[in-house]
Amino acid sequence: MILMSMYRIKRVLSGLMMLVAGSAFAESDLRGSSDYDGLKRYPLSWIVEYQSETSPDYLLALGKMKKKSGVIAPEASRRLSGQLRQITYRIPEGHSAAEAFDFIVGQLQQQKAEELFRCKSRQCGNSHQWANQVFGVSRLYGVDRTQSYLAAKLGGDYIAVYSVKRGNKRVYLQLDILSDKPPVAVEEPAISEGAESVAELPGWQENFTSRGAWLPVDFLAVTSGDEEVTASVRLILNEIQSDSRTLVVLGYSDLAEGALERSAEYVARVEKVLLENGVAPERLSLIASGNLSAVKPPEQQGAVWLQLME
């Protein structure tokens, strides 16, 4: 793989920034998601993961994470069943996890919600356990001292609120609602960004056609095989092959250590799929950008941006 000269990289990055300025930076909710009617979301936040299902055995944490008999779990909890909605919000840059948490908790207090348990910072335990064992949302794994958690009851709904700041400075707020009433139906199916079949995420192909887009694959997580990469690229092959313009393939790594090498590896994986599917090598402009993102930063820790350019 021959990467572009530094001059060429700067020129392409500059062009990308101009092309995506404005609408490309407007954040939108995951298609098929919706807010909880009882609470207003934090201003300018957007939904990045969403799930709605009937849960026969939801564990509502009522204590900090603690190791007991070799098992790490909340030191107190309550088993519940009902209609579960899990909403993960990305909080806009410049706003803290505490601000987002207080915004939601303030509304619960105004509505006289019953507080069942609350913790803050390292009093809650390890953020890794909250992210993966309690909520099952890996992106909630953040810096322990920035986390806050509240369990409350509002009317007939049990509510869990968790906010945290990740090491990459991104802030997330999790809202779990366990209710005996189903949520209002939405037109589109609810699909999480962390779904197994990421290539089937709705809408991203249209984004690529109109202005370029990040492939919906976390290259850091997909460590063996290229099935997800291949499936994603094939969804836009018709658009690529019917257009004679240059195709920019830009690799990005959220991790600072070895970022340039990682991003080059991601580019090479996409290039391999493109060449195997008949895209001429002279049409490709390959860029390993390390952890420099000229467009809206992706949610993925390892990502590739594709865009057709003159």
Side-chain angles (χ1 to χ4, degrees):
M1 179 181 68
I2 301 175
L3 295 180
M4 303 166 62
S5 68
M6 189 56 89
Y7 171 77
R8 172 71 171 154
I9 289 174
K10 289 180 179 179
R11 190 166 70 86
V12 172
L13 290 179
S14 176
L16 281 170
M17 293 178 72
M18 292 178 65
L19 283 171
V20 301
S23 60
F25 287 89
E27 306 296 350
S28 58
D29 290 342
L30 189 68
R31 188 172 298 185
S33 62
S34 62
D35 292 310
Y36 171 58
D37 289 338
L39 298 170
K40 294 180 180 179
R41 70 170 65 185
Y42 190 79
L44 300 181
S45 63
W46 64 99
I47 299 174
V48 294
E49 293 199 32
Y50 179 86
Q51 187 164 332
S52 176
E53 63 181 3
T54 300
S55 176
D57 189 26
Y58 176 78
L59 185 139
L60 180 68
L62 298 174
K64 67 179 183 179
M65 301 301 294
K66 189 175 182 180
K67 189 173 184 179
K68 184 177 181 180
S69 301
V71 178
I72 298 177
E75 60 182 2
S77 60
R78 185 178 301 181
R79 296 283 182 180
L80 302 168
S81 62
Q83 185 69 33
L84 174 65
R85 295 174 68 190
Q86 295 185 292
I87 310 171
T88 308
Y89 292 97
R90 171 85 182 274
I91 305 303
E93 294 183 11
H95 299 260
S96 70
E99 289 173 326
F101 182 80
D102 291 344
F103 182 82
I104 299 297
V105 172
Q107 294 180 66
L108 289 170
Q109 291 174 336
Q110 289 178 353
Q111 298 180 56
K112 309 298 182 184
E114 177 186 357
E115 183 174 314
L116 304 176
F117 173 73
R118 185 198 295 227
C119 65
K120 183 179 181 181
S121 188
R122 295 185 176 90
Q123 297 173 348
C124 297
N126 192 301
S127 175
H128 180 269
Q129 274 85 46
W130 285 97
N132 295 287
Q133 293 180 221
V134 175
F135 296 109
V137 179
S138 59
R139 74 177 71 216
L140 295 176
Y141 176 26
V143 181
D144 291 348
R145 59 182 171 79
T146 68
Q147 66 185 337
S148 299
Y149 173 79
L150 173 77
K153 186 176 182 183
L154 180 62
D157 296 343
Y158 287 91
I159 298 174
V161 186
Y162 180 81
S163 67
V164 70
K165 180 180 182 179
R166 286 174 56 91
N168 61 10
K169 310 301 182 183
R170 294 176 186 169
V171 176
Y172 294 94
L173 183 136
Q174 181 71 20
L175 191 62
D176 279 16
I177 306 100
L178 197 289
S179 174
D180 56 4
K181 298 177 293 184
V184 177
V186 293
E187 294 182 1
E188 298 289 343
I191 302 177
S192 166
E193 282 189 3
E196 291 184 3
S197 184
V198 291
E200 296 178 1
L201 288 172
W204 83 269
Q205 299 100 313
E206 290 81 359
N207 288 338
F208 164 75
T209 303
S210 62
R211 61 176 183 252
W214 294 106
L215 277 173
V217 176
D218 192 331
F219 284 76
L220 183 66
V222 182
T223 55
S224 61
D226 280 315
E227 292 83 2
E228 292 184 44
V229 177
T230 301
S232 298
V233 173
R234 282 179 176 171
L235 288 175
I236 56 172
L237 273 175
N238 286 338
E239 287 80 2
I240 294 172
Q241 292 170 336
S242 62
D243 195 305
S244 61
R245 289 179 294 172
T246 296
L247 177 65
V248 174
V249 183
L250 183 145
Y252 169 85
S253 173
D254 190 48
L255 303 181
E257 184 177 355
L260 190 61
E261 292 80 6
R262 290 176 188 272
S263 62
E265 175 198 341
Y266 305 153
V267 169
R269 292 165 69 180
V270 174
E271 179 196 25
K272 177 175 179 288
V273 177
L274 291 167
L275 295 178
E276 289 176 346
N277 284 274
V279 178
E282 58 269 19
R283 285 191 57 201
L284 302 178
S285 288
L286 309 175
I287 307 173
S289 69
N291 57 3
L292 171 64
S293 177
V295 294
K296 180 185 69 177
E299 294 294 339
Q300 304 98 300
Q301 289 187 290
V304 169
W305 174 272
L306 295 179
Q307 184 167 344
L308 291 163
M309 294 182 63
E310 298 293 348

